[in-house]
Amino acid sequence: MSPLDQKLTRDLWRIKGQAIAIAMVIATGVTLLVMMAGVINSLEETRRVYYERHRLGDVFAPVKRAPSHIIRKLAALPGISAAEGRITGSALISLPSLDLPLRAIAISLPDSGEPRLNAIHLTDGRRMDAKDADEIVLLNSFAHAHNLKPGDTLSATMNGAKRTLTIVGLAQSPEYLYSVAPGEMISDDSRFGVIWMSRTALAAAFDMQGAFNEAILSIGRSNNLQATLDRVDSILSPYGGLGSYGLKDLTSNRFVTEEIEGMRSSSRVVPPLFLAVAAFLLNIVISRMVEAEREQIGLIKAFGYTNREVGLHYFKFVLVIAIGGALLGCIGGIALGRAMMPLYLTYYKFPMLVFRLDPASFATAILTSIAAASAGGLLVLRKVFALTPAVAMRPPAPPDYSRTNRFGKRLNHLLDQPSRMVLRRITRQPGRMIGSLMGIACGMALSVSMISMLAGFDHTIDLTYTVMDRSDVTVTFTHPLGAKTIHELESIPGIIETEPERSIAVVFHNGVESYRGAITGLVPHPRLKRALDEKSAPITLPERGIILSRSLATELDIQPGEILNIDVLEGARPSLRVPVSGVAESLLGSPAYMQMDTLTRLLGEPGRISAVYLRIDKNRASAIFRALKSRPYVAGVSMKSDARAAFQKMMDTGAGSMRYIMLVIAAVITFGIVYNAARIAFAERQRDLASLRVMGFTRSEVSFVLLGELAVITLAALPIGSILGYYFTMVIAKGFSTDLYQIPILFIPESYGRAALAVLAASVFSGWIVRRDIDRADLVSALKIRE
């Protein structure tokens, strides 16, 4: 081992506490980078393989009723590699243990053999026998939520007829990776199921003999999707086509894609932000260490070592810490990524999900860490290299404090000697103080942003399920019904208030931008389901025009006053041109609102409603649900409290739990920054502090001189950190927001207070560690340190 390498080993051991703290700061940023990249890679690769193995279709074309021979015409279209027709219909499941009816969708499978497209993955039991019309295969996640297994029976109402069905198998499907009831946003395994039946049985149930109501197509990779959709729509239009759409608009795939894209967006913003803060801290530490060893550098050069050799020595110092932190972060990223996989399986129903490493993330993490760690040291070394050995070996000229502000007699009278020493240190070395202050402020900003994110998620839930939706129950119908249905529901004892809704599926167009979504028609002055403005005040829906959610307006790049083109996908499928009257705040989904009377008039279906919001007497809930079960036109009944609990669970235990991980990482970085600031200050003033002890100052007074400086800097950093935290929150919230939910940017004093307490706690703990080192310091050794 060369002399310089021996010095490197001694230096690392001497500042092992700081080196470990810096390595941990690097490791936290790298952990996030590796974990996020691995999760993205895992979700994308597993989804691709799952789709390919089970032949998930590329085009879905719902239709009211089309004869079976039309499938041959669809299969003959250019670029179509496979086509299949199937039967689907809504079902209402009744379980003995529940009063609330549960929504389901029934899907046909061929009487014999595997389907050409959209095959299922059987997890338990067997396929149904076409000779037995009451045998079904049930969605695995729904069955597990209700402890159902092969051999059990359940009651289901389909097309107005109640049937007792026998479960013979459990299955998963790539079509239902994210299982959610039509029209809803949040997956809840206990509230939505999928029933697979033989084609013969389901055709009899929905009167579809010799016909189908949904076509599934597979197309080549080079085929033009939009041209294919247009050809399919032209063929199915005479039979009541409801508008074909591609895989990207399939509900399940759309949510999985949003999760992946949200994670990718976060990975581009959050880990670099954390690594930037770590780099800033490293630059401060390395720069001060190099400046402190100025004389040693001169001595090394006097012994004949070149600038290149000296620079390589300090570069090795940086490399050891940076690579050590990066490797530790890679290991942590792998462990954390694997721990995240079961959380994703909770909501995305893959048969299995294995954490797949992304080699590029390792290279990026290590190179980024090295570059960040090297920057500060190299800038300082360049100044030192310009000195000759004789000049470098001499202490630098004492700084000129003649122009600094002097303390007046009155201030000297008010402050004791240790306090004046603290203030002189701060005012006479503003550059170093600002560096420490900004480091602590960045730590504070990370804590503020993460705590604000938690508050933002809570605000999203509260605003959506308390302020916007003030109903208790939502009842959806199998098809649009007349207004007299409202009076029939009002006659059920226990229903206090009703409010109708008309929802239609549409495609919005604005120039080259388009979005497949829905329009919700509400009464002019809604009480139970409301659109809100940016101040959370109810919006009065205009007689003409449409109100878009902010996320939808952004997606379509449209402003109030402009004209929006709308293709309706139901009924006569008219094309509408509607002015945008305003923008509403919606933190869940991307809704659009119109006056219900205006909407139904444009559709040519006045008075038709598709759902009703209810406010009920909760003491009579069981009787109300039993009454709703008996209505053949009811497609689904959902409790708002169940939806809220499902969303809260997803945020706490599913993909949303990522914010808790980042909060912990932010806390680690914050502590690392504060601890390093204290250690650096102690290393720089060790000889001064020992001199004070020899001069008669007590341990408490000496500690006050050092820790008072840290306290002043920490307190001064809090307001700056709060300001930076607001902008950090803006960046991170944008990275976390998806089409499923948007994270608001809130100024909540409690969030800033908690972040400040976290920084103060880190400062107190760091100060206690440094105070212990001051008390244990060897005065003789400290006084021998050369200035």
Side-chain angles (χ1 to χ4, degrees), residues 290-338:
V290 169
E291 290 179 355
E293 295 193 355
R294 179 177 184 272
E295 296 177 41
Q296 294 184 29
I297 293 173
L299 185 61
I300 292 171
K301 291 172 70 174
F303 275 96
Y305 288 95
T306 64
N307 284 340
R308 178 179 173 276
E309 291 172 321
V310 176
L312 183 61
H313 163 69
Y314 283 97
F315 188 67
K316 286 180 181 179
F317 185 90
V318 170
L319 279 180
V320 170
I321 298 177
I323 294 178
L327 293 177
L328 185 62
C330 290
I331 295 171
I334 295 171
L336 195 57
R338 288 180 174 173

Side-chain angles (χ1 to χ4, degrees), residues 143-163:
H144 287 170
H146 296 285
N147 296 316
L148 298 173
K149 57 185 182 300
D152 293 341
T153 61
L154 57 81
S155 176
T157 301
M158 292 184 288
N159 199 26
K162 191 172 184 178
R163 304 176 58 177

Side-chain angles (χ1 to χ4, degrees), residues 670 674 711 714-715 718 753-766:
T670 300
V674 176
T714 301
L715 293 174
L718 296 182
R754 290 172 184 171
L757 288 176
V759 173
L760 292 174
S763 300
V764 170
F765 185 66
S766 300

